[in-house]
Amino acid sequence: MKLSLRLILLLVASITIVTFIVSKGEVRSEKRGLRADLVRRAEVLSESLQEIVEPALEKGSRDQLRRIVERFSNREQLAGVIVYNKNGEVLAESSNLQRRFDPPPVPLDRVMASGAGLSEFLNLNSEPMHAYYIPLHDGNSATGVLAIFHDAGYIETQSARMWRASLWHVIAEVLLIVLISVLIIRWTIVLPISRTAQWMKDVRRGRMISAPPDSKESFLAPFTSEVMNLTRSLVDARSAAEEEARLRESGESVWTAERLRVSIKGKAQQGSLFVVSNREPYMHVHRGKSVDMLVPASGLVTALEPILRACDGIWIASGSGSADRETVDERDHIRVPPDKPEYTLRRVWLPKDVEQGYYYGFSNEGLWPLCHIAHTRPIFRASDWQSYQTANQEFANAVLQEMEGVERPLVLVQDYHFALLPRMIKEARPDARVAIFWHIPWPNPEAFGICPWQRELVSGLLGADLIGFQIQAHCDNFLETVDAALESQIEWERFAVKRGGHVTFVRPFPISVDFRESQRGLESQTSPYVLRAELLEKLGIKANFLGVGVDRVDYTKGLLERLRGVERFLEKWPEYRGKFTFVQIGAPSRTEIQRYHDFLQEVEREAESINARWQTAGWKPIALLTRHHGHEEILPYYRAADFCMVTSLHDGMNLVAKEFVAARDDEGGALILSQFTGAARELRDAIIVNPYDAEQLAEAIHVALEMNTEERQARMRLLRTNVKHHNVYGWAGNLITELSEIRIGELEPELGRSR
Ligand code: G6P
C-alpha cells in the first residue's frame, strides 16, 4: 500500500495554508511594531522641539524659528518640520521638505482643540507619510501648531522584504513537515495496516497464523484486535461449515460446537440454562493502571460456552480476580465473552475466611485427597465444613435469585465444591432440572466413609435429578456409597436412587477436549524435528529424543514416580544418556496449601538430584519448567515430543492425554498413560502403565522411543479416532440431552415404574 498522491497534495495544501496564515500574522505584527516605533519617535521629537519653538514663537522671530527647524531636520527618515500659526499659515519650514504642506493636511483647529498630539499616516501621491501635530502655546492659549513629517515608505519596504523571506520559509517548512508526516504515517499506519491486510489474506487462503503482526502497536491495538476477532469469527464459521459438510458427506455423526448449539436450542429455552462452577470463565485483574481479562486454564469453558451461548444462559461462579468487582454491574453481572457477548457471568463474592475454609480447606484438603487414592490423608476441620455449607448456601441463593421468573430452568452444577447445592436448589425450586457433574473420581464406600459428613454430602448430591461421573466405575462406587451411608432404594438396573419420592439418575459422561481446537495455532507442516530442535535450543539443551509431561503440580499426578521412571530408564539404557531429555511443564497450583507448597519443592529436589547424576555442559536428563504455560506454548511440546507421559496416581479423566492425542495430526508420538486415569478406559492404544512401578515406567519409555513408525502411527490413528468421536461437545450434548429428557414432579413415580 502506498500513500496516495491525493493524500500528499492534501497534506501540502493544508500545511501551506496554515504556514501562510502564521507568516501573515508575523508580518502584520512586525508592521504594527515599526509603525508604533515611528509614532513614538515623532512624539519624542515633537516634545523636545515644542520646548524651544514656543519661546521663539512668543517672540515672533521667524528667523529663530527657521534655524530651530533646520537644526532638527537631518534626523533619520524625517521628511520635514513645519511651524504653523493658529490661522494655518506657515511661519517656518525645514529646507529638506520635498513638497509644500500649505494648507496643512489636517484642520489645525482640531489639533488645538484637543490640546494633545495627533498622529496620522497619510498617503500623499502614493507616498506613505506619517504626520505628527502638536499644539504650541503662549501661556494658556494656543498660538500655533508644530507638524513633524516622517517618510513611512521604509515600513512598506521592510514588510515586503519580510514577506519575501517568509515565502522561502513557508516553502522549506512545508516540504520538511510533509516529508516528516509522510514518513511517520508510513511507519506507524501504512506499514502496520498493510501487514495486517497481508495477514488477513494469508488467513483467508488458509494459512492460519496465531496473531496479526503489529497486534501490540499501542495505538493500532484496538483496530488489530477487532480485525483479529472478525477474522477469527470468519475462519471459525468457514471451518465449522467445512467440517459440517465433510461430516454430512462421510455420514459421520461427530459432535461439533455447531451441532451442540443447534441441539441445545431445541432443548433449553432462551435464558433457562444455569451453570455453576467455582472457577469463573473470565477473570479481571489489575495490571499496573489497567485491567486485564484472563481466561483461567480450564477445559470447562470450551465445553460449556457453546451451550450457554446457544440459549443466552447464566454462568454463576466465584469472583476471584482483583478487578472483578469493578467490572460487574449492580447485579454482579457481566456479559461475556467480552469480544462478542452472548451470555451472562454472575459473580458471587465469598468473604476471605469462607473462601479459605470452603475452597482451600474442605474442598482441597478434605474432598480432593478423599476422592483421589494418592495416599495423602484428607484433613477434615469442623470450621471448614461450616464454610463449605455457607459457600454452598451463598451460591444456592445466587442461583435461586437468577432463576426467579424462569420456567422449567436447567441447572448444571460443576464438581466437588458444590455437593450440597443440588438439594438446596431443588428444595426451593422443585420444578428445576438439576444435574451435577463430579469431575474427580468417586472412591469406594470404605474410603469415602472416613469423611465425617459423608451422609450430608451424599444427601446433598441426591437432591439432583442427574449425577454425572467420568466413568462407570465411579458411578458404581457412588451407588455403593449411597447404599452404605443412607436409607434409600437403589435401582441397579437403571442406575438410579429413589429417596423420599425423588429419583436421581447416575450416569457416566467421560469428559473430553475440542478435537479441532487442540490443534489450533500450529501450522501442521512444521516438522516435529524442527520444533524439537527449536524448543530444546531455547532451553539450552542438545538432545535427539524428547519426552514431555504437562500437569498442575499436584500430588495426585505421580510426578515423583514419573521422574524416578526417567531415572530408571537412563540407568537401564545408558546409551540414551546425553541423547534423551524429559521436559516436565508443571503449573504451580493451590500453593497456599502446605502440602502443595511442600510437594512443589519435593519435585524440584528430585529433578535436581537426577540431573546431578548425569548432566553435562550441553545436556541434562530433566528440564522442569515450573510456571503456568498457555495452550499455545504447550502445543509445540506436544507436537515435538517422541512421547507424552501421564502418570497420575488417580485421576477422574486426565485431559492432557486427550490434548496430546488431538495435537498429533502427524500421527506421530506415543502416549504413556497411567492405568489409574479415567482416560485409560477409552485410550486403550496408549502404553498403559502402573505409575507405582518404576521398572514398568522405564520399560514404557524404552518402548515409546524404540517403537517402529508403523506401530506408532497405527496406535495414534486409533487414539485420534477415539478422541475425535468422543469430544467435549459430545460430553456436553449427552449431559444436557439426558437432563432435559428426565421427567420431574408428579410424573416421577410413574417414570420409576415404566422404565
Ligand atoms: C480439577 C478439578 C477442577 C479444577 C481443576 C483446577 O481438575 O476437577 O474443578 O478446576 O482441578 O483446580 P483449581 O483448584 O485451580 O480450580
Side-chain angles (χ1 to χ4, degrees):
M1 188 165 38
K2 283 191 182 137
L3 270 181
S4 73
L5 187 66
R6 224 162 82 206
L7 181 65
I8 295 176
L9 287 178
L10 209 69
L11 258 175
V12 173
S14 37
I15 295 171
T16 309
I17 290 171
V18 172
T19 327
F20 182 82
I21 292 171
V22 171
S23 304
K24 193 167 175 189
E26 276 170 9
V27 173
R28 266 215 192 125
S29 80
E30 174 72 14
K31 196 169 169 180
R32 260 199 308 275
L34 287 173
R35 281 175 158 227
D37 182 56
L38 181 59
V39 172
R40 219 172 26 254
R41 269 194 284 147
E43 247 173 36
V44 172
L45 181 61
S46 68
E47 275 161 21
S48 22
L49 267 169
Q50 185 185 29
E51 277 172 25
I52 36 183
V53 168
E54 275 177 350
L57 185 65
E58 206 178 315
K59 276 197 229 148
S61 162
R62 283 190 177 216
D63 276 352
Q64 199 181 349
L65 283 173
R66 215 170 291 124
R67 273 199 307 277
I68 294 171
V69 296
E70 211 55 64
R71 216 169 56 227
F72 283 87
S73 63
N74 55 356
R75 301 280 171 104
E76 207 186 347
Q77 271 112 26
L78 188 68
V81 181
I82 301 178
V83 180
Y84 294 100
N85 69 12
K86 62 181 174 189
N87 301 323
E89 290 160 16
V90 176
L91 297 180
E93 60 183 353
S94 58
S95 57
N96 59 344
L97 266 177
Q98 299 287 318
R99 42 170 296 140
R100 295 204 55 83
F101 290 96
D102 193 7
V106 285
L108 295 186
D109 294 351
R110 241 175 72 201
V111 182
M112 288 186 292
S114 74
L118 187 84
S119 160
E120 187 182 37
F121 280 92
L122 328 158
N123 222 338
L124 296 174
N125 298 337
S126 336
E127 271 179 53
M129 300 279 289
H130 174 253
Y132 192 83
Y133 310 96
I134 187 166
L136 297 168
H137 296 95
D138 177 6
N140 278 341
S141 58
T143 50
V145 167
L146 172 69
I148 295 173
F149 297 94
H150 274 104
D151 179 3
Y154 76 98
I155 294 180
E156 293 305 322
T157 320
Q158 214 146 308
S159 298
R161 203 181 308 131
M162 244 190 107
W163 258 123
R164 272 196 304 278
S166 289
L167 193 71
W168 289 115
H169 235 112
V170 168
I171 292 170
E173 236 167 75
V174 167
L175 287 179
L176 209 67
I177 294 175
V178 168
L179 187 74
I180 292 170
S181 309
V182 166
L183 290 178
I184 290 176
I185 293 172
R186 206 175 143 68
W187 280 326
T188 59
I189 302 177
V190 178
L191 288 180
I193 289 180
S194 60
R195 280 198 292 261
T196 306
Q198 183 58 45
W199 175 81
M200 289 174 78
K201 206 188 242 174
D202 286 345
V203 172
R204 183 163 52 77
R205 288 175 178 165
R207 267 183 274 149
M208 186 64 192
I209 300 154
S210 52
D214 307 298
S215 57
K216 292 202 177 74
E217 290 266 342
S218 60
F219 101 98
L220 275 182
F223 166 75
T224 38
S225 116
E226 271 316 304
V227 166
M228 216 153 109
N229 290 337
L230 195 69
T231 317
R232 288 229 166 100
S233 306
L234 286 175
V235 169
D236 283 348
R238 186 175 60 187
S239 54
E242 277 169 5
E243 178 80 352
E244 288 298 316
R246 210 187 46 70
L247 293 175
R248 254 199 316 278
E249 181 66 23
S250 61
E252 285 184 62
S253 60
V254 172
W255 278 92
T256 60
E258 192 49 37
R259 186 175 152 204
L260 178 59
R261 254 197 293 275
V262 174
S263 158
I264 299 306
K265 278 206 165 138
K267 295 183 178 94
Q269 286 164 4
Q270 286 296 99
S272 69
L273 180 72
F274 301 85
V275 167
V276 189
S277 73
N278 176 62
R279 281 260 172 241
E280 52 183 341
Y282 297 94
M283 184 191 261
H284 289 90
V285 291
H286 288 294
R287 280 271 156 80
K289 279 185 187 151
S290 64
V291 169
D292 271 12
M293 197 270 303
L294 304 178
V295 179
S298 147
L300 218 58
V301 183
T302 321
L304 296 174
E305 237 181 20
I307 323 184
L308 286 154
R309 276 160 49 187
C311 56
D312 197 352
I314 300 186
W315 188 323
I316 297 134
S318 184
S320 48
S322 57
D324 274 356
R325 280 183 195 265
E326 294 156 37
T327 41
V328 292
D329 63 16
E330 66 289 349
R331 295 168 66 204
D332 298 325
H333 283 180
I334 173 170
R335 295 287 291 166
V336 286
D339 293 335
K340 197 180 171 210
E342 281 182 294
Y343 70 94
T344 301
L345 167 61
R346 155 79 192 262
R347 286 176 174 148
V348 175
W349 316 112
L350 295 175
K352 270 272 157 266
D353 57 329
V354 173
E355 191 200 5
Q356 180 65 38
Y358 139 80
Y359 172 75
Y360 290 106
F362 198 76
S363 297
N364 286 317
E365 285 190 289
L367 289 178
W368 181 266
L370 177 75
C371 291
H372 290 91
I373 313 299
H375 311 288
T376 288
R377 283 179 74 148
I379 300 170
F380 292 114
R381 305 180 191 94
S383 57
D384 289 349
W385 169 240
Q386 189 56 49
S387 298
Y388 189 79
Q389 293 174 84
T390 309
N392 272 246
Q393 192 58 60
E394 279 295 316
F395 272 82
N397 295 345
V399 176
L400 292 171
Q401 188 188 26
E402 298 298 335
M403 286 194 327
E404 263 168 41
V406 177
E407 276 178 39
R408 295 159 56 83
L410 289 179
V411 186
L412 284 183
V413 182
Q414 304 298 319
D415 234 350
Y416 59 100
H417 311 93
F418 299 117
L420 307 179
L421 204 58
R423 180 160 303 283
M424 290 172 171
I425 296 173
K426 210 53 188 182
E427 274 173 3
R429 286 294 300 266
D431 64 318
R433 280 184 170 71
V434 180
I436 179 162
F437 186 76
W438 198 262
H439 289 253
I440 62 176
W442 190 281
N444 62 45
E446 293 74 34
F448 198 82
I450 66 171
C451 173
W453 298 285
Q454 69 153 336
R455 289 171 59 84
E456 287 84 344
L457 292 169
V458 172
S459 167
L461 285 167
L462 289 176
D465 300 295
L466 177 65
I467 305 177
F469 290 100
Q470 301 280 17
I471 56 173
Q472 185 61 49
H474 300 158
C475 297
D476 298 351
N477 285 346
F478 176 72
L479 289 180
E480 282 168 14
T481 307
V482 174
D483 202 16
L486 290 177
E487 221 19 76
S488 63
Q489 189 185 333
I490 301 192
E491 300 181 9
W492 284 98
E493 66 285 359
R494 60 171 188 154
F495 276 88
V497 182
K498 210 165 173 188
R499 190 163 173 258
H502 176 71
V503 179
T504 305
F505 292 92
V506 180
R507 295 275 185 278
F509 297 96
I511 200 165
S512 190
V513 295
D514 176 345
F515 187 72
R516 281 191 313 123
E517 183 69 23
S518 300
Q519 307 166 23
R520 188 179 210 152
L522 254 197
E523 293 177 78
S524 45
Q525 51 267 47
T526 318
S527 125
Y529 304 101
V530 175
L531 270 180
R532 189 181 306 168
E534 282 173 11
L535 292 171
L536 287 170
E537 197 189 326
K538 272 189 218 150
L539 299 175
I541 296 172
K542 273 204 187 82
N544 307 329
F545 302 95
L546 174 69
V548 69
V550 180
D551 304 80
R552 283 186 304 108
V553 181
D554 189 304
Y555 53 83
T556 61
K557 301 293 179 186
L559 294 174
L560 294 173
E561 289 74 6
R562 192 178 308 176
L563 299 185
R564 283 173 202 145
V566 172
E567 183 178 31
R568 189 72 194 110
F569 163 73
L570 290 172
E571 279 171 0
K572 284 178 89 166
W573 287 279
E575 63 272 27
Y576 277 96
R577 291 180 206 160
K579 296 197 180 96
F580 164 75
T581 290
F582 185 74
V583 175
Q584 176 62 49
I585 295 178
S589 168
R590 305 173 190 165
T591 43
E592 288 191 32
I593 298 172
Q594 192 61 41
R595 177 77 178 94
Y596 281 82
H597 178 83
D598 296 346
F599 185 68
L600 179 58
Q601 293 187 345
E602 266 179 72
V603 173
E604 281 169 344
R605 273 201 301 273
E606 188 66 34
E608 273 167 30
S609 96
I610 298 171
N611 281 339
R613 281 185 74 179
W614 295 302
Q615 82 182 71
T616 60
W619 173 82
K620 58 181 175 180
I622 290 165
L624 179 63
L625 313 178
T626 49
R627 67 163 176 87
H628 171 79
H629 287 65
H631 180 67
E632 63 295 342
E633 285 179 287
I634 296 172
L635 199 52
Y637 281 100
Y638 282 157
R639 290 292 304 278
D642 289 293
F643 66 86
C644 172
M645 183 144 66
V646 175
T647 53
S648 307
L649 304 179
H650 201 189
D651 216 330
M653 175 51 64
N654 194 286
L655 292 180
V656 167
K658 295 188 174 182
E659 270 171 15
F660 172 66
V661 168
R664 294 311 296 248
D665 62 352
D666 63 333
E667 294 180 346
L671 174 64
I672 299 175
L673 182 59
S674 158
Q675 67 187 82
F676 305 120
T677 59
R681 315 285 160 128
E682 296 175 86
L683 305 179
R684 305 303 310 173
D685 294 286
I687 304 169
I688 306 288
V689 290
N690 172 358
Y692 290 96
D693 184 346
E695 296 300 320
Q696 230 190 76
L697 290 186
E699 288 279 347
I701 295 174
H702 190 240
V703 168
L705 292 179
E706 307 241 319
M707 194 183 280
N708 67 48
T709 313
E710 236 168 74
E711 168 78 2
R712 192 192 297 266
Q713 286 187 339
R715 283 177 180 251
M716 187 48 82
R717 208 171 299 133
L718 290 166
L719 289 170
R720 286 175 62 76
T721 308
N722 194 301
V723 177
K724 182 175 156 188
H725 284 90
H726 301 107
N727 61 36
V728 72
Y729 302 114
W731 171 81
N734 292 333
L735 185 60
I736 209 125
T737 304
E738 192 103 8
L739 180 63
S740 61
E741 280 173 3
I742 290 174
R743 288 194 287 160
I744 52 168
E746 292 135 62
L747 289 174
E748 222 166 56
E750 291 291 320
L751 181 84
R753 269 200 294 276
S754 65
R755 283 205 178 193

